[in-house]
Amino acid sequence: MSSSPFYITTPIYYVNAEPHLGHAYTTIVADVLARFHRLDGREAFFLTGTDEHGDKIMEAAAKAGQTPRQFVDRISGLFKALWPRLNIEPSRFIRTTEEEHVKVVQRILEIVNDKGEIYFGEYGGWYCQGCERFVLERELKDGLCPEHLVKPNWIAEKNYFFRMSNHQEWLIDHIKSNEGFIRPQRYANEVLAFLKEPLEDLCISRPVSRLPWGIPLPFDDNYVTYVWFDALINYLTGLHWPHGEGYAKFWPVAWHLIAKDILKPHGIYWPTMLHAAGIPVYRHLNVHGYWIMGEAKMSKSLGNVVQPLELMELFGADAFRYFVMREMSFGLDASFSQEALISRLNGDLANDLGNLFARTTAMIERYCQGQVPRGLPAGPAEKALKDWAAETVEIYRTEMGRLNFHLALKAVWEYVNNLNRYIVGNEPWVLAKDPRRKPELDRVLRNLVFGLIRVAYLVWPVMPATGEEMLKRLGTALVISEQGLDYILSSAVDPKGFQVAKGPAFFPRVEAVERKDREEKPPVAGPPPKEPVDIEEFARLDLRVGLVVDCVKPEKSKKLLVCTVDLGEEEPRQILAGLAEHYDPEQLKGQTVVVVANLKAKKMMGLESRGMILASVDDRSVKLLKAPKGARPGTVVR
Ligand code: ME8
């Protein structure tokens, strides 16, 4: 075992959307790794935070009717507040709007600029708002951004560029000669494949006139820093680069964790930026796959799907953490479903682990007044159990180090089930009937507690609250030892004389839940409430049910759809709706909608609109407000 320190980072998340399963997963993995390394005798630093500059954030703030500052404070707060609910304890939560970070970014820009690695030039390119980057022609699929499936905008302007191409050969060589620099290997191959073509220089500025929300370039205040150049540097700020003690200690052992969506910025921009600035590159970039909502996606239209983070609140943070760590093979996609979560919870947690704990502690309460028996020689079965524990620790340590969390947990569960078999094989309830066999009974019970203590330590990185509570009920407490995990194989954890308490079930069996109220949660980015109105004022609006009998998209407009709507009048009306980016004309035909019928007629793009179709609008989607099934055209809505 080595005692070198350990540094783990998550991506810093964009604050334009509420935290979801994907964000939770990466951050859980980071927390598990930090805890595992601490448990194995290393000092660990774990950094997460929020990415708060750029176009997307400006736009989301504007939609919410807030200043960017108010907006980012609010959403960043949602992320920060979620982590303790998931038993996640970062060493630092960093925000790119912090003054320290602004200074670090500017300092690095100066260094890179002084080295002649930045120039001013003109560039036209396809800009994908979702990716917040220029997407190369060859990356497009049928003219669309492959990640966001939207057509990028063509933007041409004068900007500052980083000579990324200067570092292409170095990067190829570095990836090839450092196994595991990017891992799993398939992602290193993906980056190498990309690097077969000449690398373009990276546009690292945005004119303030277009985007005022960013870090000003230290050498030209008409420009702010491109959000990726700003965001990646958080990994240094987090350690108080350049003079921080943390930087000296942890940067040489930096591990980044990301999903495959942001491989390019981390696998190409970041190492070349560091290389250009003369800063050593990170040790490992660890790339995981996507969580897919699987079958749940289909039933989502039924409106009864309980979202993953809601399930976490219902079933508990530790069970949720166990599920995601056990279910996903790091590097590959995995699908999330309530059924799979429940099956793990009732199987692995309630049956295997929960029962082992309950049975063992109940027997000690019943046969030994709650006190673990002392001073008994071990027989061959106990020797086998001890060997098994040593083997489990070995596999666990190896697989954790390789990010094969599912295999590490599998090994722990084999040990758990071995303990369960040890109970069945020794039938302590039979031994208890014969007073002459008391020494045998004592030996079995003490060994079971010994085993449970080891299990508590091994599950602690993944289920910290459970691990700690198990130890407490077994009459002891977690020790982070310099010996690392070998500590749990030593006699220091021998439970003789410990006072044990069974306590309530750790993981009561659960059943599937349905979403009771079908209302979505209020959108994060909703605008502030409007002034109150009198009922009379409201009553002046003539709201009606309308049937869309026809719908076409005029060629001239990107946003508008021309709808023909039956409102129960002599003739259907023409109503223009700004829905073209969200609905195909075909999807609207036959819908019963809610219409503001007495809106004054208005001309748009030379076409008259008589009324307005209502829709819900938030920062992510626009959805048609549908009238109740069977409501006839012209019916009043009030
Ligand atoms: O990209 N499955 O932020 P972001 C698994 N601000 N993980 C997922 C996921 C899914 N379906 N969806 C998201 C950004 N993630 C930038 C990062 S870093 C200097 C700047 C996780 O809010 C995963 O970790 O879009 C992914 O890489 C990250 O969220 C993207 O978060």
Side-chain angles (χ1 to χ4, degrees), residues 10-16 20-26 51 56 79 228 231-235 257-262 266 288-292 328:
T10 73
I12 45 170
Y13 305 113
Y14 283 131
V15 290
N16 63 340
H20 56 64
L21 167 66
H23 303 128
Y25 174 71
T26 317
D51 186 356
K56 280 207 267 205
F79 278 91
W228 270 108
L232 289 159
I233 290 173
N234 91 85
Y235 302 133
L257 267 179
I258 58 166
K260 58 188 180 180
D261 55 338
I262 50 178
H266 283 81
H288 64 75
Y290 278 155
W291 279 99
I292 317 252
M328 182 178 254

Side-chain angles (χ1 to χ4, degrees), residues 24 135 139-140 201 220 336 394 406 451 475:
V135 184
E139 290 181 79
L140 300 179
D201 290 340
D220 187 344
F336 186 99
E394 197 49 45
H406 65 302

